[in-house]
Amino acid sequence: MQKEIFKTLIKDGQADIQDVELYQRSFDFEPQGRYVLVGIRQAGKSYLLYQRAKQFLKEGHDIKEIVYINFDDERLLGMKAEDFDLILQAYSTMYNYKPILFFDEIQNVEGWEHFARRLANHKYMVFITGSNAKMLSRDIATTLGARYFDEKVFPYSFNEYLEANNVILEKDWLYGKQKNQVGQYFAEYFKWGGFPELLLYRNKRHWLNGLYDKIVLGDIIQRNNIKNDHALRLAVKRLAENIMQPTAYNRLANMVKSAGVSTNTSSIIEYVQYVKEACLMFTLDNYASKFAEKETSKKHYFTDNGLLSVFLTENYAPLLENLCAITLYKQYNKDAGTPRLYYYNRNVEVDFFVPDECVAIQASYSINDHETRRRETTALVALNKLYPLKKALVVTYDEEEVIEMDGLTIEVVPVWKWLLCDSNTDKC
């Protein structure tokens, strides 16, 4: 690796930061904080780096202080950990400032965390992104030694999606023309998800197929040297088809084998772990299960509805539950530590349960059918008898009412309204 390459990359990065036009996401950086931002590809991590860099410029810093390098750049193929210092050497031959460092997709270079620790020890301001959840693992956190804030980054929320489409909700928007506009944008968001770049394209399925293939091939198969890629792809497809049901690993292995593809349970467990590390999916545990059962039977959800739509045609019920799962996961399980969000399945089935807040939520596309209505509401009543609830919801696509049943108040709310009015905003 040559210093001249890094000189070129530094100049290219400065030009990119000056030229890029941004939709400002509501992300509050600590003024003196260093950050490791982790999330699925195309979630908007790079733009958060640009956003922070522009904040520094607005505060009076010179563009020459900024170093932005994307380690997905083909000019950095084959880079090793010992090459990191060349970045500082190259910069020192160009400028006399202490640089502010922005490193995108740094996980491509094994051992990056040791360089990041050294930079922090020398009081550099550093901002790092990556597309692998292992960057938040205990081992790497130990190496970094609490010198960085770590944050998970997701694609747009619905509120961000509206703002990115220049829709700013007015006071009392529910009672005016904006309600129809919100409904139109929600139908799009519901099916195709919130990847920021997706707003630029008409053929959204084609773009999502390409993103999915890039994640599976580059971030999972190649990174983990998987030989039986057909089994992995089929396992993800089966998880998508069973998004609303807990899926045990041995059952998933049998589903793959039933299609004539050779695999075993231990391989399936590894594949699912790799899929989670690539931030493609996340899992929820059954609150009612013993520890061993929690580890073997989980509910699996996609990080964005658009990626689930890759596998679906006209069945929208899985999209509704997946969107609820994403929203609740960001609220309760986003930070490291003990999970707060579960599903409940023991004699009664409830889609989402937050025991420490006594909140239970069912996701049901519609409860107009008598049997569906009975199933969803009686499950909440039964859970309330086991764990008294402060809040019980049934999130639907577009139905709304209040049900009083056996001493429990159950709110039935449209998902678009729940996303906008239950997200700590006052716009409803």
Side-chain angles (χ1 to χ4, degrees), residues 31-130:
Q32 301 302 317
R34 303 177 190 87
Y35 280 82
V36 176
L37 307 176
V38 177
I40 192 168
R41 286 189 180 273
Q42 298 294 332
K45 303 183 300 296
S46 299
Y47 271 52
L48 283 175
L49 294 190
Y50 292 150
Q51 183 171 313
R52 186 68 181 113
K54 283 183 173 290
Q55 288 172 355
F56 279 116
L57 296 179
K58 192 174 182 180
E59 292 166 5
H61 289 272
D62 194 299
I63 187 63
K64 295 176 182 178
E65 296 178 66
I66 303 296
V67 172
Y68 169 83
I69 293 177
N70 187 335
F71 291 90
D72 268 345
D73 195 300
E74 82 282 354
R75 289 170 288 185
L76 297 180
L77 288 174
M79 181 175 171
K80 305 295 183 183
E82 55 266 27
D83 297 324
F84 274 120
D85 196 62
L86 293 175
I87 299 172
L88 300 180
Q89 293 179 33
Y91 181 86
S92 68
T93 66
M94 301 169 69
Y95 309 112
N96 292 321
Y97 298 100
K98 186 169 189 175
I100 305 170
L101 303 165
F102 297 85
F103 295 147
D104 213 350
E105 299 296 347
I106 199 173
Q107 82 284 343
N108 290 345
V109 184
E110 189 173 349
W112 65 269
E113 64 271 22
H114 302 288
F115 180 60
R117 178 185 175 114
R118 176 158 67 91
L119 291 174
N121 288 342
H122 287 86
K123 308 303 181 184
Y124 285 91
M125 293 296 292
V126 190
F127 301 85
I128 288 169
T129 79

Side-chain angles (χ1 to χ4, degrees), residues 399-412:
E399 296 164 16
E400 186 170 14
E401 63 176 301
V402 176
I403 301 171
E404 299 290 345
M405 188 174 180
D406 290 355
L408 179 66
T409 300
I410 301 172
E411 299 176 51
V412 181

Side-chain angles (χ1 to χ4, degrees), residues 353-365:
F353 181 42
V354 187
D356 64 353
E357 293 197 6
C358 304
V359 172
I361 298 174
Q362 297 281 53
S364 181
Y365 193 83

Side-chain angles (χ1 to χ4, degrees), residues 303-338:
T303 302
D304 183 83
N305 262 26
L307 292 169
L308 177 55
S309 284
V310 167
F311 300 94
L312 302 179
T313 52
E314 298 301 320
N315 186 1
Y316 293 144
L319 288 173
L320 178 69
E321 183 167 329
N322 195 76
L323 183 54
C324 290
I326 294 166
T327 304
L328 292 166
Y329 184 87
K330 288 193 291 186
Q331 183 175 356
Y332 294 110
N333 282 20
K334 182 179 176 181
D335 297 326
T338 304

Side-chain angles (χ1 to χ4, degrees), residues 7 58-59 61 65 127 139 156 163 183 198 206-207 210-211 233 266 277 287 291 314 328 330-331 345 393 413 417:
K7 289 182 181 181
K58 192 174 182 180
E59 292 166 5
H61 289 272
E65 296 178 66
F127 301 85
D139 288 345
Y156 285 155
E163 292 181 357
L198 194 60
H206 178 76
W207 187 89
L211 175 61
R233 290 179 181 272
S266 61
E277 288 173 358
Y287 186 74
F291 178 79
E314 298 301 320
L328 292 166
K330 288 193 291 186
Q331 183 175 356
N345 190 347
L393 295 176
V413 60
K417 185 175 181 181

Side-chain angles (χ1 to χ4, degrees), residues 169-199:
L169 295 180
E170 302 166 354
K171 186 178 181 181
D172 298 328
W173 65 269
L174 274 170
Y175 310 102
K177 293 181 180 180
Q178 273 197 319
K179 182 178 178 181
N180 292 331
Q181 187 181 32
V182 166
Q184 292 170 0
Y185 276 114
F186 179 71
E188 186 177 86
Y189 177 79
F190 180 74
K191 185 172 183 179
W192 301 120
F195 285 105
E197 190 175 326
L198 194 60
L199 273 66

Side-chain angles (χ1 to χ4, degrees), residues 14 58 60 93 132 166 171 175 207 209 213 225 256 265 279 291 353 360 362 397 428:
Q14 290 169 348
K58 192 174 182 180
T93 66
N132 194 301
N166 299 312
K171 186 178 181 181
Y175 310 102
W207 187 89
N209 282 333
D213 285 340
N225 196 28
V256 172
T265 302
C279 305
F291 178 79
F353 181 42
Q362 297 281 53
Y397 188 81
C428 291

Side-chain angles (χ1 to χ4, degrees), residues 285-291 293-294 342-350 353 355 383 386-387:
D285 294 334
N286 182 5
Y287 186 74
S289 292
K290 297 178 181 178
F291 178 79
E293 294 171 336
K294 279 185 171 67
Y342 302 85
Y343 71 96
Y344 190 97
N345 190 347
R346 177 175 290 174
N347 300 323
V348 55
E349 296 183 17
V350 174
F353 181 42
L383 184 62
L386 296 170
Y387 302 96

